[in-house]
């Protein structure tokens, strides 16, 4: 932080809090935001079963964030609400493609890889 010129004026936690606040106010899926911040699920039951990584949505979220910051740097007021709504819409259905057992184990390490009987 000091090498970037923020010593004494900002912290990494502050940047993370700013990102979370702005993304939530802009209407992004809170689960996607929390996964991007690498936060663990507090509800133990949900954590045991919910292993989504939201990679496509996270990529769109980070592009939106970069565009938002670029707009702010250029002096533009970047409105919330309907701006970039199309970026928040899933481009594909993750359930449409079958999930290979080894990939499922990779995505959710708590689960053991399933090997179908041949």
């Amino acid at each position: 932080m000091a090498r970037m010129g923020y010593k004494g004026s900002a912290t990494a936690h502050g940047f993370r809090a700013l990102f979370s606040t702005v993304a939530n106010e802009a209407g992004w899926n809170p689960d996607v935001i929390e996964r991007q911040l690498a936060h663990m699920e507090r509800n133990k039951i949900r954590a045991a079963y919910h292993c989504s990584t939201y990679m496509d949505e996270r990529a769109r979220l980070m592009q939106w964030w970069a565009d938002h910051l670029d707009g702010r740097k250029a002096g533009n007021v970047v409105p919330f609400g309907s701006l970039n709504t199309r970026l928040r819409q899933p481009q594909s259905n993750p359930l449409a493609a079958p999930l290979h057992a080894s990939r499922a184990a990779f995505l959710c390490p708590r689960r053991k890889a399933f090997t179908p009987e041949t």
Side-chain angles (χ1 to χ4, degrees):
M1 296 294 295
R3 284 184 273 152
M4 293 190 303
Y6 293 105
K7 184 176 183 176
S9 64
T11 64
H13 182 74
F15 281 116
R16 290 169 59 89
L18 175 67
F19 164 75
S20 178
T21 301
V22 173
N24 275 292
E25 287 182 356
W28 286 89
N29 179 344
D31 287 337
V32 174
I33 296 166
E34 293 303 309
R35 285 287 197 254
Q36 186 61 33
L37 291 169
H39 289 166
M40 301 301 292
E41 175 65 48
R42 290 181 183 174
N43 180 315
K44 291 180 182 181
I45 302 296
R46 187 167 192 252
Y49 295 102
H50 184 70
C51 297
S52 298
T53 59
Y54 300 105
M55 293 308 287
D56 291 339
E57 293 92 342
R58 288 167 60 187
R60 287 191 293 280
L61 171 61
M62 294 315 294
Q63 184 59 59
W64 171 84
W65 181 241
D67 294 344
H68 176 79
L69 293 177
D70 287 345
R72 299 288 300 186
K73 184 177 181 182
N76 300 328
V77 175
V78 182
F80 295 125
S82 63
L83 180 67
N84 294 322
T85 301
R86 71 181 195 294
L87 293 176
R88 293 195 299 269
Q89 300 303 318
Q91 299 299 313
S92 62
N93 181 351
L95 300 176
L99 186 60
H100 188 272
S102 62
R103 178 115 168 98
F106 172 75
L107 292 175
C108 189
R110 294 179 303 279
R111 293 184 185 158
K112 295 180 181 176
F114 172 75
T115 307
E117 294 179 26
T118 55

